[in-house]
């Protein structure tokens, strides 16, 4: 077992250095962030300025505001001694080999004999950075290439040199995966490593297509979501990366790969050179291949360099292909298309697959690492070799040969005896779902995780809590009463739950079937109370968005395992409702428990906090912030590597079962503040309204929320039980569905997938 890093130093406080420091702090490390000294009296001026800019980045780089306190700012003159005490030093200064080498020389004279040193360079040879250093230093030195932004992009390329101690490499892989939550791929010390080498090739192919009669919009359509690359459309990605950065990488890559059979693809196009020379650099300058003007997205005319409205796509039945839900079916349809869309896709994908195959063993030892790198670094849903499998191995091979596209010998050798795909599918959890169901209905299933633990998996659209999901969970609890040791509630989707099925509720409301809605609320409240007090351990394993009713379900679970990247909230007010399945009751309970005593003046600050959190439909920025907001218990197990959530949740069930699980004691005394507390909350809502932060209808909804939170018509603070507050939730929830503005909000959300603040 390796020892985890507890302290680190990041040398270089630029955009990348600051974000690496932030991610290490998110993982619990104390981090010294150092940069060159300022010229004035405040030698920390440069590092402080850089760090302040990083704090304003969106999405945020820290889990919580408190997390930022783990980063200690300093400069190379006054604080370089701090690296003497850290476990890991990450160098992230400018891409200048001489500067990096001199910094390594200085580091060697200060650091401990067991400190690991890595460089975050993406363009310089790793071994060259440590040139001239002692054997001991070189054994503890390697590359650690984070992808930007480090908090949100999963890929971490670890690049050993020939001198790197294998144990150092294994420790970095272990720490990166388990403690930083990364998908770690071991890359070779070659130009641009794995992901950027393949990614740059694909980008340059897209740029070349401009000279083949395709428009910017057409190329982005064919290299974006339809191809399983929702975050990697050619020109939108180029604008985000920066056209100057793109040209810099290509210019450095071309001379560094003299033996690459496709080297000419990396020659910088004249169009890109012109744009950079005129200061047209992409998002950072407000215009690149695209430009936003008067709320309209214009695109560049490559011939005149003027910006024009987008022209209609001339890609045949591309719209119909784009609607094919299964990615494999969609890719096969695109590959078979006989029009311009198919011609582009076939040529680009055949070249991409050939290039990826030809890079083995140059940049990686196997196809699996290339697939992982492209999935984790560029957001591809399938890596190149998995795409090859989907299209058909023999079909692609025959088409490559017919087109005169290179096929490496290792592929030819395996063609005849091939039984499995070129690329391996990577499960997003340790449990490859779906497993064989023990029970199922059309929108949910109960799966056997082994050792007497079962998993309830949502299968509804958006993982919403539909009628079938709710009824199924109740049925599963009946099974659990007599069999099995415990239950995990979770799934393998990117997001745990989008909340209640609004379409079902809207349909019942439009038909005037409010009695059915009332029954549904009672059913859901009863179910969540049963989960909370169930005699066997139930653990929610959550990730991504956990909204509305999904949040209420998680709040009801006594134990929670959460991916650090969990965004949870009671968002009902954004659709014109209030929480109606125990979310308010549990929030009021949380506020009372946080207070030093049951005195109203002690409870008030916490009650106002949850009131504003629910009233503003706030969603947590992370699982850690969710604990601060009261959505997750302090005992929640938070994982940097969210892919492990089902595995850990199962262990939580087994551990609770072994020690003798006891459900929480029933809560029959919750302090509510009555009419005085309600007045305080109403005043807070009125202040937000007068300040222009909420609409008039938001204020009305907030008043209904305050009514429930304060205990309804109680004239003074009093102790009530859970059922009292649950009844108030039901009584306040149902009338809101008949309000026109609520109906407008629900309809808008269903149609546009975003809230309306009318």
């Amino acid at each position: 077992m390796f020892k985890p890093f507890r302290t680190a130093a990041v040398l270089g406080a630029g955009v990348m250095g600051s974000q690496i420091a932030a991610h290490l702090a998110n993982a619990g490390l104390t981090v010294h962030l150092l940069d060159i000294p300022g010229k004035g009296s405040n030698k920390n001026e440069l590092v402080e300025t850089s760090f302040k800019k990083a704090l304003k980045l969106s999405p945020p780089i820290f889990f919580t505001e408190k997390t930022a306190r783990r980063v200690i700012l300093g400069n190379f003159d006054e604080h370089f001694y701090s690296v003497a005490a850290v476990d890991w030093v990450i160098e992230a200064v400018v891409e200048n080999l001489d500067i990096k080498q001199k910094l390594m020389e200085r580091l060697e004279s200060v650091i401990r004999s067991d400190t690991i040193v890595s460089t975050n360079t993406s363009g310089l040879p790793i071994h060259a950075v440590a040139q001239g250093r002692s054997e001991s230093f070189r054994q503890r030195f390697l590359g650690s290439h984070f992808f930007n932004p480090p908090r949100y992009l999963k890929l971490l390329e670890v690049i050993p040199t020939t001198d790197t101690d294998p144990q150092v490499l294994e420790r970095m892989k272990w720490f990166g995966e388990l403690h930083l939550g990364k998908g770690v791929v071991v890359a070779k010390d070659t130009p641009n490593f794995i992901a950027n080498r393949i990614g740059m090739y694909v980008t340059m192919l897209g740029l070349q297509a401009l000279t083949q009669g395709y428009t910017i919009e057409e190329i982005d359509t064919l290299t974006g979501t339809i191809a399983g690359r929702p975050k990697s459309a050619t020109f939108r990605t180029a604008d985000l990366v920066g056209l100057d950065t793109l040209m810099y990488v290509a210019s450095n890559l071309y001379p560094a790969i003299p033996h690459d059979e496709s080297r000419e693809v990396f020659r910088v196009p004249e169009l890109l050179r012109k744009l950079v020379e005129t200061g047209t650099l992409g998002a950072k300058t407000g215009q690149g291949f695209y430009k936003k003007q008067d709320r309209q997205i214009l695109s560049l005319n490559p011939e005149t360099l003027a910006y024009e409205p987008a022209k209609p796509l001339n890609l045949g039945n591309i719209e119909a292909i784009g609607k094919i839900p299964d990615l494999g079916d969609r890719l096969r349809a695109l590959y078979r298309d006989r029009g311009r869309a198919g011609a582009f896709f076939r040529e680009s994908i055949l070249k991409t697959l050939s290039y990826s195959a030809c890079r083995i063993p140059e940049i990686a030892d196997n196809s699996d690492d290339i697939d992982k790198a492209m999935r984790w670094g560029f957001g591809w849903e399938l890596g190149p070799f998995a795409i090859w499998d989907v299209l058909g191995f023999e079909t692609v091979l025959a088409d490559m040969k017919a087109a005169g596209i290179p096929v490496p010998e290792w592929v030819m050798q395996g063609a005849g005896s091939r039984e499995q795909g070129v690329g391996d599918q990577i499960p997003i959890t340790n449990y490859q779902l779906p497993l064989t169901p023990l029970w199922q209905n059309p929108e949910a299933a109960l799966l056997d995780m082994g050792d007497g633990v079962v998993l309830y998996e949502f299968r509804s659209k958006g993982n919403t809590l539909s009628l079938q999901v709710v009824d199924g969970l109740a049925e599963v609890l009946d099974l659990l009463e007599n069999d099995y040791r415990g239950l995990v509630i979770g799934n393998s989707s990117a997001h745990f739950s989008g909340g209640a099925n609004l379409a079902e509720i809207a349909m019942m409301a439009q038909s005037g079937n409010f009695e059915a809605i009332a029954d549904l609320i009672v059913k859901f409240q009863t179910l969540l109370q049963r989960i909370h007090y169930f005699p066997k351990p139930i653990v929610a394993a959550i990730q991504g968005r956990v909204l509305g009713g999904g949040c209420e379900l998680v709040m009801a679970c006594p134990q929670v395992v959460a991916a650090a990247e969990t965004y949870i909230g009671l968002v009902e007010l954004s659709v014109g409702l209030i929480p109606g399945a125990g979310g308010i009751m549990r929030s009021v309970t949380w506020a009372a428990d946080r207070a030093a005593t049951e005195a109203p003046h002690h409870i008030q600050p916490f009650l106002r906090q949850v009131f504003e959190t629910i009233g503003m439909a706030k969603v947590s920025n992370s699982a850690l912030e969710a604990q601060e907001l009261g959505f997750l218990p302090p005992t929640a197990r938070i994982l940097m590597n969210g892919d492990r959530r089902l595995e850990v949740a199962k262990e939580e069930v087994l551990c609770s079962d072994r020690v003798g699980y006891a459900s929480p004691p029933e809560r029959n005394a919750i302090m509510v503040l009555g009419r005085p507390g309600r007045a305080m909350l109403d005043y807070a809502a009125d202040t937000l309204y007068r300040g222009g932060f909420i609409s008039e209808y938001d204020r009305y909804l907030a008043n209904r929320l305050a009514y429930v939170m304060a205990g309804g018509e109680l004239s003074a603070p009093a102790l009530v039980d859970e059922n009292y507050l649950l009844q108030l939730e039901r009584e306040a929830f149902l009338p809101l569905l008949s309000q026109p503005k609520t109906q407008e909000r629900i309809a808008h959300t269903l149609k546009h997938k975003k809230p309306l603040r009318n």
Side-chain angles (χ1 to χ4, degrees):
M1 176 62 68
F2 296 109
K3 180 181 177 182
F5 302 122
R6 301 306 303 160
T7 56
V10 178
L11 309 183
V15 174
M16 198 62 183
S18 295
Q19 292 195 78
I20 292 172
H23 191 63
L24 298 183
N26 287 336
L29 280 73
T30 298
V31 187
H32 297 271
L33 180 61
L34 310 180
D35 210 324
I36 59 175
K39 295 181 179 179
S41 57
N42 179 15
K43 290 193 173 185
N44 268 5
E45 182 179 3
L46 291 177
V47 69
E48 289 172 358
T49 300
S50 295
F51 193 65
K52 285 178 182 177
K53 287 181 180 178
L55 288 174
K56 296 178 182 178
L57 289 173
S58 180
I61 62 176
F62 287 102
F63 286 164
T64 69
E65 292 181 5
K66 291 180 181 178
T67 310
R69 299 172 191 170
R70 296 193 184 118
V71 179
I72 303 168
L73 305 182
N75 62 80
F76 290 165
D77 278 4
E78 297 174 316
H79 308 105
F80 203 78
Y81 68 88
S82 61
V83 302
V86 303
D87 302 320
W88 180 16
V89 177
I90 304 173
E91 172 270 304
V93 299
V94 294
E95 292 285 84
N96 180 294
L97 184 58
D98 184 57
I99 291 175
K100 289 178 183 289
Q101 287 177 336
K102 289 179 178 177
L103 192 55
M104 293 300 143
E105 181 180 9
R106 187 177 178 188
L107 268 177
E108 187 171 16
S109 66
V110 177
I111 60 174
R112 300 192 317 245
S113 60
D114 62 344
T115 298
I116 291 177
V117 180
S118 66
T119 176
N120 190 58
T121 181
S122 59
L124 296 173
I126 301 297
H127 68 275
V129 175
Q131 188 174 335
R133 303 283 52 80
S134 68
E135 180 181 3
S136 172
F137 184 95
R138 297 197 311 274
Q139 288 175 343
R140 294 176 283 119
F141 176 80
L142 71 171
S144 57
H145 185 214
F146 289 84
F147 272 62
N148 192 20
R151 173 180 169 182
Y152 299 99
L153 281 188
K154 189 176 182 67
L155 181 61
L156 171 61
E157 291 178 319
V158 176
I159 311 100
T161 71
T162 55
D163 295 320
T164 304
D165 186 329
Q167 285 296 301
V168 168
L169 174 62
E170 289 303 313
R171 184 183 182 192
M172 286 294 294
K173 288 168 56 182
W174 170 81
F175 186 81
E177 291 171 355
L178 194 65
H179 293 274
L180 297 184
K182 293 297 180 184
V184 178
V185 173
V186 177
K188 296 190 177 182
D189 192 4
T190 56
N192 284 56
F193 313 128
I194 299 176
N196 280 345
R197 181 74 169 272
I198 306 296
M200 272 297 296
Y201 178 83
V202 174
T203 297
M204 300 306 279
L205 284 183
L207 290 175
Q208 284 184 355
L210 278 178
T211 65
Q212 299 167 359
Y214 291 91
T215 67
I216 286 174
E217 290 85 1
E218 287 173 340
I219 296 168
D220 269 4
T221 297
L222 294 169
T223 59
T225 301
I226 196 170
R229 308 173 201 168
K231 301 177 182 178
S232 300
T234 300
F235 296 103
R236 295 193 184 280
T237 302
D239 277 357
L240 287 173
V241 170
L243 306 193
D244 52 340
T245 301
L246 198 64
M247 190 175 82
Y248 171 81
V249 173
S251 299
N252 283 282
L253 185 57
Y254 183 84
I257 51 173
H259 304 297
D260 189 317
E261 77 287 341
S262 301
R263 182 189 187 203
E264 289 305 312
V265 172
F266 297 99
R267 190 180 291 276
V268 177
E270 189 59 31
L271 173 61
L272 182 59
R273 201 178 298 278
K274 282 182 181 178
L275 292 174
V276 173
E277 287 174 356
T278 58
T280 303
L281 308 181
K284 68 179 81 172
T285 58
Q287 60 183 37
F289 288 106
Y290 292 100
K291 178 180 181 179
K292 188 174 183 179
Q293 183 174 301
D294 298 328
R295 297 186 179 182
Q296 185 180 13
I297 303 297
L298 307 177
S299 57
L300 183 77
N301 183 320
E303 296 178 0
T304 65
L305 301 188
Y307 289 92
E308 303 172 349
K311 297 176 182 177
L313 301 178
N314 179 23
L315 296 175
N317 66 338
I318 192 68
E319 187 174 344
I321 293 175
K323 291 180 179 178
I324 299 174
D326 180 76
L327 177 58
D329 292 339
R330 194 161 70 238
L331 292 177
R332 285 186 287 270
L334 196 55
Y335 191 82
R336 291 191 298 262
D337 180 76
R338 306 324 299 174
R340 295 176 72 245
F344 174 94
F345 181 71
R346 280 190 301 277
E347 180 179 355
S348 63
I349 200 63
L350 288 174
K351 288 182 176 179
T352 298
L353 301 185
S354 166
Y355 190 76
S356 300
C358 288
R359 301 283 67 79
I360 296 173
E362 178 194 346
I363 66 174
D365 285 326
N366 57 72
S367 61
D368 192 34
D369 282 347
I370 291 179
D371 272 5
K372 288 177 180 177
M374 297 311 295
R375 289 173 57 247
W376 293 336
F378 282 83
W380 289 23
E381 294 178 43
L382 294 175
F385 296 98
I387 292 173
W388 192 327
D389 283 344
V390 162
L391 298 178
F393 177 76
E394 296 296 342
T395 298
V396 168
L397 189 59
D399 290 345
M400 282 182 179
K401 291 177 181 178
I405 295 174
V407 181
E409 184 61 28
W410 73 267
V411 174
M412 297 299 297
Q413 290 174 352
S417 60
R418 178 183 163 75
E419 294 180 358
Q420 296 181 341
V422 178
D424 298 324
Q425 292 293 319
I426 314 301
I428 73 162
T429 69
N430 284 8
Y431 291 93
Q432 298 189 43
L433 301 178
L435 303 172
T436 303
L438 301 167
W439 169 97
Q440 64 181 340
N441 69 21
E443 296 194 340
L446 185 68
L447 310 173
D448 190 352
M449 300 180 80
D451 300 316
V453 181
V454 287
L455 169 68
Y456 187 71
E457 178 194 18
F458 304 161
R459 294 180 176 176
S460 54
K461 185 177 180 180
N463 289 333
T464 56
L465 299 172
S466 65
L467 293 172
Q468 289 187 321
V469 169
V470 172
D471 287 341
L473 185 49
E475 194 170 339
V476 161
L477 292 184
D478 291 340
L479 296 175
L480 194 64
E481 288 272 11
N482 300 314
D483 299 307
Y484 310 111
R485 299 168 72 178
L487 174 70
V488 174
I489 302 175
N491 54 64
S492 61
S493 304
H495 303 289
F496 177 77
S497 176
N501 189 316
L502 279 179
E504 288 182 343
I505 294 175
M507 189 177 299
M508 287 187 283
Q510 288 169 3
S511 63
N513 196 354
F514 291 100
E515 185 176 343
I517 298 175
D519 290 342
L520 176 61
I521 296 170
V522 171
K523 180 188 293 185
F524 196 32
Q525 284 186 344
T526 303
L527 174 67
L528 297 194
Q529 285 292 86
R530 187 181 178 193
I531 286 173
H532 188 71
Y533 294 114
F534 202 76
K536 293 182 180 180
I538 296 177
V539 180
I542 64 174
Q543 74 291 339
R545 289 191 289 273
V546 186
L547 306 178
C551 177
E552 291 181 291
L553 169 60
V554 171
M555 292 174 74
C557 290
Q559 295 167 280
V560 181
V561 172
E565 298 298 343
T566 294
Y567 319 114
I568 182 170
L570 295 169
V571 297
E572 285 85 353
L573 268 79
S574 66
V575 291
L577 300 168
I578 63 171
I584 298 175
M585 178 268 288
R586 298 190 202 286
S587 296
V588 171
T589 303
W590 178 85
D593 288 345
R594 288 289 297 271
T597 71
E598 290 185 339
H601 68 279
H602 283 156
I603 295 175
Q604 278 182 355
F606 299 104
L607 191 67
R608 176 163 178 167
Q609 177 189 333
V610 294
F611 173 73
E612 292 183 357
T613 296
I614 300 173
M616 300 295 286
K618 184 171 182 178
V619 176
S620 72
N621 166 55
S622 66
L624 271 77
E625 187 180 49
Q627 287 180 311
E628 295 181 358
L629 296 175
F631 296 137
L632 293 182
T635 56
R637 182 85 64 183
I638 297 177
L639 306 176
M640 289 294 288
N641 189 336
D643 289 353
R644 300 179 59 244
R645 62 187 180 274
L646 296 182
E647 171 193 6
V648 174
K650 175 187 174 182
E651 292 302 318
E652 288 287 320
V653 169
L654 291 174
C655 181
S656 296
D657 179 65
R658 290 190 192 105
V659 299
Y661 178 72
S663 61
E666 291 196 25
R667 189 70 178 253
N668 55 15
I670 305 167
M671 178 61 72
V672 294
L673 302 188
R675 207 164 289 161
R678 180 181 168 191
M680 179 266 295
L681 298 179
D682 284 342
Y683 178 77
D686 191 59
T687 301
L688 290 170
Y689 170 70
R690 286 187 280 106
F693 296 104
I694 61 175
S695 70
E696 185 174 358
Y697 193 59
D698 285 325
R699 180 175 61 173
Y700 169 76
L701 294 169
N703 292 153
R704 302 313 300 152
L705 174 64
Y707 176 84
V708 177
M709 294 184 76
E713 297 295 342
L714 293 175
S715 60
L719 291 171
V720 299
D721 62 21
E722 291 179 336
N723 288 330
Y724 178 85
L725 288 174
L726 289 174
Q727 182 177 342
L728 288 179
E729 285 187 24
R730 296 194 299 272
E731 292 172 352
F733 181 93
L734 201 60
L736 293 175
L737 282 169
S738 60
Q739 293 285 338
K741 287 187 180 293
T742 289
Q743 294 173 359
E744 287 174 15
R745 290 191 177 195
I746 292 174
H748 186 275
T749 299
L750 289 172
K751 182 177 181 179
H752 300 285
K753 308 303 179 186
K754 59 182 181 180
L756 170 70
R757 285 297 176 106
N758 52 358

